[in-house]
Amino acid sequence: MFSLGSWLPALPGLAWGWALLDALLQGLVGACAVSVLCSLLKVYLYIQCVNNPERQAEKEAIAARRPLLEPLHVLVLTGVLALVGSRVAALVVLEFSLRAISAILSLGKGAHSSQLYLLCQYSLGCGVSCGLSFLLEGAPHRSWNLLLAAGLAGLLALHARRLGQHVCALYELHSRARYCGVCILLLAAGHGIPRLLRNALALTFAVADLAAVELINRDFLSTGEAVRFWTPLTICYTLLVVYMQEESRQSTGRGLVFRTVVVRMGGLFILLLTVGRWIDILHVFVSLLGELWCLLCSGVLLESC
């Protein structure tokens, strides 16, 4: 009653196959969420470059066609998110939430950073995956629900991608000629895209944080075990946030971004060596690859930020 294979006879390996299908569908939904985020940021940054004559080189770099990169990005990220276990995905979500709160407080009230949206790509995928795991746990026909969610997410990602292609190709012409309703809307309200993304991400990570805490706590049999896990985790994450805040004050650029990814995953690796399981160590390496892949695919957007 709980998955797509509930009506099929119980065969060896069949349950494992349906679990793999569910993991792939969850990963696909998370990857589509990341694709929507990147497409909207691409639209926003392109409009900002069009309005600034000094950023024409950046505008051309953003508008450059990469027909295979975006589908490949979604495909690889789907596989990575399907491989990462719920425990490590939950830890990634909690770490980013703490880092995001610290960054927002340091930016000041009402400020925003486009770079922070790009840095949350992999964490967003993990957050969506954790949220789906928690919300659909024990749900009747879980696989059908995930299939529907994946279809809707894919449709939304496709439209967001087409919006980015349309803007990069025709925004300048349509905004001047007042010809296209979409471009006119972006001309009038395009500056509100960061606020839209901020609200959507805040809601997504709020749900993901609750799901992450629940997914981690269900592995503990007693309060003592939970305390022995959460205490070093809290200390480790606090030290990481303090270190990254100091690094960001002393240096900038893409080198800092990649360096902080390695430091964060290294800290998580050391933590899980003491309080985790061996499979968690493997998932940390997979997460490192996922983080680096997201940053490499969004290199042009990072430069524009």
Side-chain angles (χ1 to χ4, degrees), residues 164-177:
Q165 292 173 344
H166 175 84
V167 168
C168 291
L170 298 171
Y171 174 79
E172 289 186 87
L173 174 63
H174 287 174
S175 59
R176 287 196 305 266

Side-chain angles (χ1 to χ4, degrees), residues 7-48:
W7 297 282
L8 299 177
L11 298 175
L14 190 60
W16 180 87
W18 289 119
L20 177 60
L21 175 62
D22 288 351
L24 286 172
L25 291 174
Q26 282 183 194
L28 179 58
V29 176
C32 288
V34 174
S35 178
V36 172
L37 172 67
C38 292
S39 296
L40 292 179
L41 275 176
K42 181 179 180 180
V43 169
Y44 172 72
L45 292 173
Y46 183 84
I47 293 174
Q48 296 300 307

Side-chain angles (χ1 to χ4, degrees), residues 1-2 13 18 32 57 86 94 96 102 104 118 152-153 160 167 178 183 190 210 223 226-227 243 256 270 293 300:
M1 288 292 294
F2 294 99
W18 289 119
C32 288
S86 59
L94 293 175
F96 176 79
S102 174
I104 291 171
L118 289 172
L152 294 174
V167 168
R178 301 295 193 270
C183 293
L210 294 175
T223 305
V227 170
Y243 168 79
L256 172 65
I270 295 173
W293 173 255
V300 174

Side-chain angles (χ1 to χ4, degrees), residues 168-217:
C168 291
L170 298 171
Y171 174 79
E172 289 186 87
L173 174 63
H174 287 174
S175 59
R176 287 196 305 266
R178 301 295 193 270
Y179 175 74
C180 172
V182 173
C183 293
I184 294 174
L185 177 62
L186 290 173
L187 180 64
H191 62 276
I193 291 178
R195 183 172 63 252
L196 172 66
L197 292 176
R198 183 170 64 247
N199 294 336
L201 290 173
L203 178 60
T204 301
F205 277 103
V207 175
D209 287 337
L210 294 175
V213 172
E214 178 60 28
L215 289 173
I216 293 174
N217 282 336

